């Protein structure tokens, strides 16, 4: 069976032209201004639509035991939400706790993903480093994992001691594995939290003051020092502010191999959302926190200049009722995270492309191509080329609609963007030649997503 997409405006990281794409089996076999229709082909008229490569979300949480509860989605709900929103590949953070064995955790996360409708991989969380962990991490890399994840925050849960951080980065360097890192100074966070609570400051509006930009910048500086001394390639996840970006940029200028991610909440929301009354602000508690709105202009300009390589979600869904409410009397107990896997592309298109912040090629580069390149998926994913997987998003720029918890596929009881207008959405989403979504409806098959084994490239 083949699929011919006709007359779309084909946008990759570099290209922008009107033409046809032929998909045969799972891959793209021809691209040209005009192609003859093969006898057995299903034809989609893409006139007036963009054709983007399938988008990649390189920072997602689905199975996440965290802060005394579990993130809400399963692969069944999250992968459908991803596909309807234009994301054909996700990379989930496999986050074992300190007492867990890495290999057991990897197998557990793997088993949860069996029902995925979209393609997926994992960043392997390293929450302890000893002889057993080292040998199991070596085995996990052999099984197709080319990236680790470390937390410099979350004392007592995922956070690594400095000796362990040094050993992890040294191992990663030897194996050619890139290390993704949550950068905040956990000692400062604990001290500031205690001070605020002692002053009776218990609401969600105090989350940001407990983790100011300097705490994040210090975390980035810490990581950069360790990266410089080990030669390990590092990737700062969910970078929220200018202070942190400038530390990373300075390190890059002196030769540290560092890449930077931001996430859609920092580009579209700000700390005033977490200051809303009646505990509504809890819906907007994530770490690092939503910042002052003045940070956003710098984030956008860093995407334009490509200092920020990727725009992910850090999708971390916790219900307001029963989960966020765990922190009703103490903001440090509010499960951290904002769900957005379904909404990232439409928000980035609306607030990035339509508002003139980024052009279409940068949009594709930041939301797909760079993640593929950094994490060992390119050119199978992240581009539109002959021989690449036929992962394609036909995007309708004339669509107008509103985001709402009442219509979303994400399994969580609120949408952080309730009522927000979007100016475009995927009309057809194709994964390896199969149509997965049409006009906001999932039409694919659960369990048809593939685990993407990756080779290390960061030597
Ligand atoms: O608040 C956040 N970011 N929650 C998810 C866990 C993490 O730190 O990435
Ligand atoms: Zn994090
Ligand atoms: Zn995260």
């Amino acid at each position: 069976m083949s699929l011919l997409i006709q007359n779309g405006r084909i946008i990759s990281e570099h290209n922008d032209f009107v033409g046809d794409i032929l998909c045969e089996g799972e891959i793209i076999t021809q691209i040209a201004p005009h192609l003859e229709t093969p006898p057995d082909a299903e034809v989609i008229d893409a006139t007036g639509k963009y054709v983007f490569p399938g988008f990649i979300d390189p920072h997602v949480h689905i199975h996440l035991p965290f802060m005394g509860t579990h993130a809400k989605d399963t692969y069944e709900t999250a992968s459908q939400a991803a596909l309807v929103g234009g994301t054909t590949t996700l990379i989930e953070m496999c986050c074992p706790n300190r007492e867990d064995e890495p290999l057991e955790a990897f197998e557990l996360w793997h088993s949860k993903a069996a029902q995925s409708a979209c393609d997926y991989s994992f960043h392997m969380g390293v929450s302890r480093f000893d002889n057993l962990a080292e040998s199991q991490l070596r085995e996990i890399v052999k099984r197709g994992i080319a990236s680790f994840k470390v937390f410099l925050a979350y004392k007592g849960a995922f956070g690594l001691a400095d000796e362990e951080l040094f050993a992890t980065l040294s191992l990663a360097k030897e194996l050619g594995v890139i290390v993704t890192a949550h950068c905040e100074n956990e000692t400062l966070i604990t001290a500031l939290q205690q001070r605020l609570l002692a002053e009776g400051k218990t609401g969600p509006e105090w989350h940001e003051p407990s983790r100011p930009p300097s705490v994040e910048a210090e975390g980035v500086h810490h990581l950069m020092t360790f990266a410089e001394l080990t030669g390990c390639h590092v990737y700062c996840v969910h970078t929220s502010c200018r202070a942190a970006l400038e530390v990373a940029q300075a390190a890059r200028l002196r030769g540290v191999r560092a890449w930077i991610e931001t996430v859609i909440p920092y580009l579209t929301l700000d700390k005033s959302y977490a200051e809303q009354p009646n505990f509504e602000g809890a819906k907007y508690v994530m770490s690092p926190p939503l910042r002052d709105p003045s940070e956003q202009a710098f984030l956008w300009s860093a995407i334009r200049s490509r200092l920020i390589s990727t725009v992910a979600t850090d999708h971390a869904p916790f219900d307001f009722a029963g989960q966020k409410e765990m922190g009703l009397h103490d903001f440090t107990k509010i499960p951290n995270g904002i769900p957005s896997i379904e909404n990232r592309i439409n928000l980035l298109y609306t607030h990035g492309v339509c508002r003139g912040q980024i052009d279409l090629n940068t949009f594709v580069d930041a939301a797909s191509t760079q993640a593929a390149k950094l994490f060992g998926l390119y050119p199978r994913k992240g581009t539109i080329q002959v021989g690449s997987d036929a992962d394609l998003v036909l995007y309708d720029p004339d669509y107008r609609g509103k985001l709402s918890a009442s219509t979303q596929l994400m399994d969580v009881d609120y949408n952080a963007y309730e009522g927000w207008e979007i100016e475009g959405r995927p009309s057809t989403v194709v994964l390896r030649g199969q149509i997965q979504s049409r006009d906001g409806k999932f039409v694919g098959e659960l369990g048809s997503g593939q685990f993407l084994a990756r080779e290390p490239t960061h030597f």
Side-chain angles (χ1 to χ4, degrees):
M1 181 66 185
S2 55
L3 181 67
L4 181 66
I5 296 165
Q6 284 183 324
N7 207 34
R9 186 167 160 198
I10 299 168
I11 315 280
S12 69
E13 69 275 34
H14 300 307
N15 292 322
D16 181 347
F17 61 93
V18 173
D20 298 352
I21 300 174
L22 182 65
C23 313
E24 291 175 291
E26 297 198 338
I27 62 169
I28 296 171
T29 52
Q30 293 185 58
I31 306 169
H34 177 73
L35 292 168
E36 293 306 317
T37 308
D40 66 335
E42 177 175 351
V43 178
I44 303 182
D45 179 10
T47 306
K49 310 262 193 317
Y50 295 117
V51 184
F52 298 126
F55 292 101
I56 300 173
D57 191 340
H59 184 168
V60 173
H61 301 272
I62 298 172
H63 175 63
L64 178 67
F66 185 46
M67 296 185 76
T69 185
H70 278 77
K72 234 356 239 328
D73 269 315
T74 59
Y75 265 86
E76 182 175 342
T77 52
S79 66
Q80 292 187 52
L83 284 163
V84 163
T87 293
T88 50
T89 295
L90 61 83
I91 309 183
E92 189 193 5
M93 300 291 174
C94 172
C95 293
N97 271 293
R98 208 176 160 74
E99 57 278 8
D100 300 332
E101 286 197 11
L103 200 50
E104 231 172 64
F106 176 65
E107 284 167 355
L108 173 68
W109 259 259
H110 229 310
S111 70
K112 303 268 175 199
Q115 57 183 337
S116 184
C118 67
D119 285 357
Y120 58 92
S121 183
F122 304 97
H123 302 297
M124 185 62 216
V126 182
S127 47
R128 68 186 229 209
F129 196 94
D130 49 28
N131 289 341
L132 181 77
E134 179 183 341
S135 69
Q136 294 193 352
L137 288 167
R138 288 180 186 278
E139 173 61 23
I140 288 165
V141 172
K142 285 191 197 135
R143 294 194 194 179
I145 295 301
S147 47
F148 292 161
K149 168 72 184 283
V150 295
F151 288 89
L152 309 190
Y154 305 130
K155 224 182 179 81
F158 305 133
L160 276 180
D162 276 354
E163 310 82 69
E164 296 174 303
L165 181 62
F166 190 81
T168 302
L169 267 56
S170 302
L171 177 68
K173 172 66 183 168
E174 179 200 324
L175 299 177
V177 161
I178 186 169
V179 175
T180 71
H182 176 134
C183 298
E184 289 182 295
N185 181 302
E186 61 179 7
T187 308
L188 290 172
I189 295 166
T190 307
L192 293 175
Q193 285 177 336
Q194 283 169 359
R195 190 157 84 189
L196 289 162
L197 291 175
E199 290 167 359
K201 296 170 174 165
T202 59
E205 68 275 25
W206 298 105
H207 178 68
E208 201 277 341
S210 75
R211 312 168 94 107
S214 55
V215 162
E216 186 180 340
E218 209 288 322
V220 174
H221 183 265
H222 201 76
L223 180 76
M224 293 304 144
T225 307
F226 280 64
E228 190 163 14
L229 294 175
T230 56
C232 178
H233 296 196
V234 292
Y235 173 94
C236 299
V237 301
H238 51 38
T239 310
S240 73
C241 59
R242 180 175 188 148
L245 276 168
E246 286 179 343
V247 172
Q249 187 179 31
R252 280 165 63 110
L253 286 173
R254 56 177 200 271
V256 178
R257 306 291 213 285
W259 288 269
I260 304 164
E261 168 195 280
T262 193
V263 296
I264 198 68
Y266 301 139
L267 294 167
T268 49
L269 302 166
D270 60 64
K271 68 178 182 179
S272 66
Y273 287 85
E275 291 164 357
Q276 291 178 80
N278 304 322
F279 199 59
E280 271 294 292
K283 295 175 179 173
Y284 299 92
V285 166
M286 68 175 291
S287 294
L290 298 176
R291 299 295 186 195
D292 189 88
S294 62
E295 300 285 357
Q296 286 176 353
F298 196 77
L299 293 179
W300 283 115
S301 93
I303 298 173
R304 282 195 294 280
S305 73
R306 310 310 292 115
L307 171 61
I308 289 178
S309 295
T310 55
V311 179
T313 54
D314 193 11
H315 176 74
F318 296 97
D319 275 346
F320 181 69
Q323 292 192 299
K324 292 282 185 181
E325 281 174 352
M326 290 162 67
L328 197 52
H329 305 294
D330 177 350
F331 71 88
T332 68
K333 297 195 164 55
I334 299 170
N336 287 197
I338 298 180
S340 61
I341 198 167
E342 193 168 342
N343 307 137
R344 173 184 66 133
I345 294 307
N346 293 331
L347 287 165
L348 189 61
Y349 180 79
T350 302
H351 294 273
V353 177
C354 297
R355 301 286 172 273
Q357 297 283 9
I358 52 173
D359 63 27
L360 287 162
N361 297 115
T362 305
F363 172 63
V364 167
D365 197 47
S368 181
T369 312
Q370 285 303 317
K373 287 186 170 169
L374 284 167
F375 298 119
L377 295 170
Y378 190 88
R380 178 174 176 191
K381 308 286 191 189
T383 190
I384 299 179
Q385 289 180 21
V386 169
S388 296
D389 278 4
D391 296 355
L392 297 164
V393 175
L394 278 61
Y395 200 83
D396 179 4
D398 296 323
Y399 175 81
R400 295 292 176 271
K402 287 189 174 163
L403 302 179
S404 174
S406 63
T407 51
Q408 73 192 9
L409 292 169
M410 299 182 288
D411 181 23
V412 57
D413 69 358
Y414 75 101
N415 186 302
Y417 302 94
E418 189 65 41
W420 284 36
E421 299 256 353
I422 47 165
E423 300 176 17
R425 77 165 177 189
S427 55
T428 308
V429 178
V430 179
L431 173 67
R432 286 181 282 100
Q434 298 291 318
I435 297 175
Q436 302 291 326
S437 155
R438 288 184 205 269
D439 297 324
K441 300 258 176 313
F442 175 70
V443 297
E445 206 182 310
L446 287 171
S448 63
Q450 278 184 5
F451 169 67
L452 303 169
R454 302 179 286 126
E455 292 287 330
T457 54
H458 290 272
F459 291 98

